[in-house]
Amino acid sequence: MKFRSLLMLLLMLVLSLSSLSPSAQAKATQITMLLDGQPLHSDVPPYLKSNFTMVPLRVISEGFGASVNWDKGTSTATISQGSEILVLQAGRKTAKVNGTAVSLDASVQVVSGRTMVPLRFVGEHLGLLVNWNQAKQQVVLVTKNAGGTPTVPGTTPGTTPGSSNSVQVRGAWISTVYNLDWPSSKSYGNVDQQKAEYSSLLDKLQDTGINAVFVQVRPAADAIYPSKFVPWSQYLTGTPGKDPGYDPLAYLVEETHKRGMQFHAWFNPFRASILTDVSKLPAGSTAVQHPDWIVKQGGKLYINPGIPEARQQIIDSVMEVVQNYNVDGVHMDDYFYPSGESISDKFNDDSTYVTYNPDQIKNKGDWRRSNINTFVRDLGQSIHRVKPGVSFGISPFGVWRNKATDITGSDTKAGITAYDSMYADVRTWIQNGCIDYVAPQIYWSMSFTNARYDKLVDWWSQEVRGTGVKLYIGHAPYKLGSPEVGWQTAQEIINQLNYNKQSSEVQGSIFYSAKDLIKNPLGLLPLLKSYFLAN
């Protein structure tokens, strides 16, 4: 008898809990909403259904300014804004978006006479960015501002999203060289296909949680925009110097900003051509116009960093983009001096060393580093003189110097280093404030003995501490599934991101590269998306 009474008591408790209203459930989870940085109020508190936030139709009409109609007879909500028309019916697992059936995150519910709809589904189809902050139990929505350009709360055009008053950078590199990421070689000469490919790539990246792209606009002394200094890139049409029939960079910047994402123009400064046969290059190429600037090494042509006029032309070509396009940043990777120099395949700049050495620097390595330091300093000053809000950053090789060579270096045993192999004195750039951020390519796992990820994050964090220079980490999803130690599970990337949180200096991550990311190597994408939603 006592057992029966106890069972009845438990049953009544379960029933009472299951009958809690959405208001009571919402009160327990305390979900709040922000729209463009301002609180978004709802007379019925939001609640979670299958991990998706449900809100009343009134939020959609009053908060988003959309037109809403509820047909009580068919339990159907019709939401329209501009050219978008969404039709959602209670109990159905699909909705119609402009007449096309689309799967729903969570079906419409009618609770206590109120129609509740999935916020993310509706918001995203109305052109908003929707993010979930797990720690704060908060939905953050971003819509278009009065000028028609999406904004992220705390940012303005021409600023970096990793600044102190904004979200962290979650970037992806988009390579154009060899048609690695965009555009595909199949799109040569097809403007519409190239545009569609880029828009689709952005959509996939943004769905994962990426908020910034670093697009290669100068692969090899050429351009994906009309330039008076270098010819059109062959990766647009298949033919070096051929006009693609539109301004790709203008389109890329516009499409990126439409989505509230940051656009960073990525330049390879000193790579002149992946070819060594100059006769195959267009008349306007640097190798044809200035053969005295060119050094052949490793089967490629390079612009000699030791020649002041050559450095200045590169700066002028970068400034052409800064002045003519609304880019958020200028970005460079580790292509300074080539790292593959050997006794049998030297980077022959002996005569340049003699001719352009006014300070009589006795060590050639120091002279090379001085050339790059001067270039980085002058470029940064030029950018900030014209547009102070445009960020300037560099992504060097992940190891500056080994501790065995320099006691202040990292506890690594790398075969090449930024300082000794590429002549990139990153420490000087940081200490002198030549750059706004540094994004070392730490392309090793947490268990790779010769260059452990965690040790390198600690080292770079120490380097930027107290300097005002931001630190973003370059990650290598392209290595997932490779035989190199530590890359046999996608959790490696998540573990790296979690480790980054231990350092307040780390203000973002950049992934190489976009195509490798969206291939979902070893199931990375759902893990990464969940991580971004929770952080």
Side-chain angles (χ1 to χ4, degrees):
M1 195 64 151
K2 289 183 180 179
F3 174 77
R4 193 174 194 181
S5 300
L6 180 60
L7 185 62
M8 289 296 294
L9 183 61
L10 287 171
L11 180 61
M12 291 175 64
L13 179 61
V14 168
L15 288 173
S16 66
L17 287 173
S18 64
S19 64
L20 279 175
S21 67
S23 297
Q25 295 177 40
K27 187 175 181 180
T29 54
Q30 296 182 337
I31 296 173
T32 58
M33 299 180 287
L34 287 180
L35 177 61
D36 292 337
Q38 299 299 318
L40 181 62
H41 300 291
S42 172
D43 58 334
V44 175
Y47 64 90
L48 293 177
K49 177 189 177 187
S50 302
N51 291 322
F52 292 99
T53 306
M54 305 293 288
V55 296
L57 273 177
R58 187 170 180 177
V59 168
I60 308 302
S61 60
E62 295 183 358
F64 301 168
S67 175
V68 172
N69 180 67
W70 172 250
D71 187 327
K72 189 174 182 179
T74 60
S75 298
T76 301
T78 302
I79 302 168
S80 60
Q81 188 175 61
S83 60
E84 294 294 313
I85 301 176
L86 315 179
V87 180
L88 303 87
Q89 190 171 9
R92 287 188 176 270
K93 295 182 179 180
T94 60
K96 286 189 175 181
V97 179
N98 299 325
T100 302
V102 178
S103 297
L104 270 174
D105 302 327
S107 59
V108 174
Q109 285 187 312
V110 180
V111 181
S112 301
R114 302 302 300 274
T115 304
M116 310 296 289
V117 296
L119 178 60
R120 176 177 291 277
F121 181 88
V122 175
E124 289 184 347
H125 280 89
L126 294 182
L128 285 81
L129 306 180
V130 184
N131 288 296
W132 170 251
N133 187 318
Q134 178 68 25
K136 294 183 178 180
Q137 290 286 290
Q138 186 175 72
V139 181
V140 180
L141 304 108
V142 184
T143 188
K144 290 186 177 181
N145 61 23
T149 304
T151 59
V152 176
T155 66
T156 56
T159 63
T160 306
S163 59
S164 59
N165 62 342
S166 66
V167 296
Q168 286 209 342
V169 167
R170 298 168 176 175
W173 278 292
I174 298 179
S175 299
T176 55
V177 68
Y178 303 115
N179 298 108
L180 289 176
D181 292 309
W182 179 90
S184 71
S185 58
K186 295 178 181 179
S187 74
Y188 286 163
N190 190 326
V191 175
D192 291 338
Q193 183 177 344
Q194 290 184 358
K195 289 182 176 181
E197 286 179 359
Y198 184 74
S199 298
S200 175
L201 180 59
L202 277 188
D203 289 342
K204 292 173 182 176
L205 291 172
Q206 187 177 47
D207 181 64
T208 303
I210 298 299
N211 61 17
V213 289
F214 296 74
V215 182
Q216 195 174 36
V217 302
R218 176 190 166 109
D222 52 3
I224 64 166
Y225 55 91
S227 171
K228 63 182 180 181
F229 297 105
V230 293
W232 283 105
S233 175
Q234 69 186 66
Y235 303 114
L236 297 168
T237 63
T239 303
K242 185 178 179 180
D243 189 333
Y246 75 118
D247 184 345
L249 182 53
Y251 179 79
L252 304 186
V253 173
E254 180 183 6
E255 279 296 293
T256 305
H257 285 166
K258 271 184 185 177
R259 291 162 173 78
M261 301 169 75
Q262 291 277 328
F263 186 97
H264 296 255
W266 164 20
F267 296 82
N268 287 98
F270 296 103
R271 184 164 60 192
S273 176
I274 60 169
L275 305 172
T276 55
D277 187 349
V278 179
S279 67
K280 294 182 179 179
L281 299 176
S285 69
T286 303
V288 173
Q289 293 288 319
H290 303 280
D292 54 318
W293 293 1
I294 303 302
V295 178
K296 179 182 177 181
Q297 196 278 328
K300 296 182 178 67
L301 300 180
Y302 293 90
I303 298 171
N304 191 337
I307 301 175
E309 293 82 6
R311 296 197 300 265
Q312 187 56 50
Q313 194 210 56
I314 296 170
I315 292 174
D316 291 341
S317 66
V318 173
M319 292 309 298
E320 189 176 40
V321 169
V322 173
Q323 291 170 323
N324 296 332
Y325 298 89
N326 186 28
V327 298
D328 299 288
V330 168
H331 179 80
M332 290 186 175
D333 57 18
D334 53 358
Y335 272 87
F336 297 106
Y337 283 90
S339 61
E341 190 177 12
S342 65
I343 295 175
S344 60
D345 188 14
K346 292 183 62 179
F347 187 88
N348 192 358
D349 57 354
D350 291 344
S351 62
T352 310
Y353 176 44
V354 173
T355 305
Y356 299 101
N357 189 5
D359 296 329
Q360 297 296 301
I361 299 174
K362 294 182 179 181
N363 180 282
K364 194 186 204 182
D366 291 339
W367 171 78
R368 285 181 174 180
R369 279 181 285 273
S370 177
N371 294 331
I372 301 303
N373 289 347
T374 299
F375 170 76
V376 171
R377 179 201 65 200
D378 291 351
L379 177 56
Q381 289 176 351
S382 297
I383 293 168
H384 294 141
R385 188 181 304 117
V386 174
K387 288 187 179 180
V390 170
S391 68
F392 173 44
I394 295 176
S395 179
F397 185 73
V399 176
W400 177 71
R401 295 194 92 183
N402 293 313
K403 195 172 185 177
T405 305
D406 185 327
I407 192 63
T408 66
S410 54
D411 184 12
T412 51
K413 297 177 182 178
I416 61 174
T417 65
Y419 184 93
D420 298 293
S421 307
M422 289 103 167
Y423 301 93
D425 187 5
V426 189
R427 173 175 285 172
T428 292
W429 310 341
I430 293 172
Q431 292 179 346
N432 293 345
C434 298
I435 53 179
D436 297 308
Y437 69 86
V438 62
Q441 300 168 29
I442 308 183
Y443 290 171
W444 304 282
S445 71
M446 303 275 279
S447 50
F448 186 72
T449 306
N450 287 348
R452 262 176 45 185
Y453 177 88
D454 52 339
K455 288 185 176 181
L456 284 165
V457 169
D458 293 346
W459 188 88
W460 285 103
S461 296
Q462 180 60 42
E463 284 297 298
V464 303
R465 190 164 295 145
T467 66
V469 174
K470 302 177 185 69
L471 175 62
Y472 309 147
I473 303 298
H475 297 266
Y478 76 91
K479 282 191 173 182
L480 286 171
S482 72
E484 185 176 304
V485 63
W487 295 105
Q488 286 68 53
T489 170
Q491 187 62 36
E492 173 65 30
I493 294 290
I494 306 304
N495 291 344
Q496 292 180 3
L497 293 173
N498 281 322
Y499 189 83
N500 292 352
K501 292 192 292 186
Q502 298 182 32
S503 170
S504 60
E505 280 75 28
V506 178
Q507 297 188 40
S509 295
I510 313 175
F511 300 91
Y512 187 85
S513 68
K515 74 168 176 21
D516 295 293
L517 199 58
I518 64 175
K519 280 181 180 177
N520 191 27
L522 303 183
L524 172 64
L525 285 187
L527 296 177
L528 193 59
K529 188 172 182 177
S530 295
Y531 176 87
F532 285 150
L533 288 174
N535 292 275

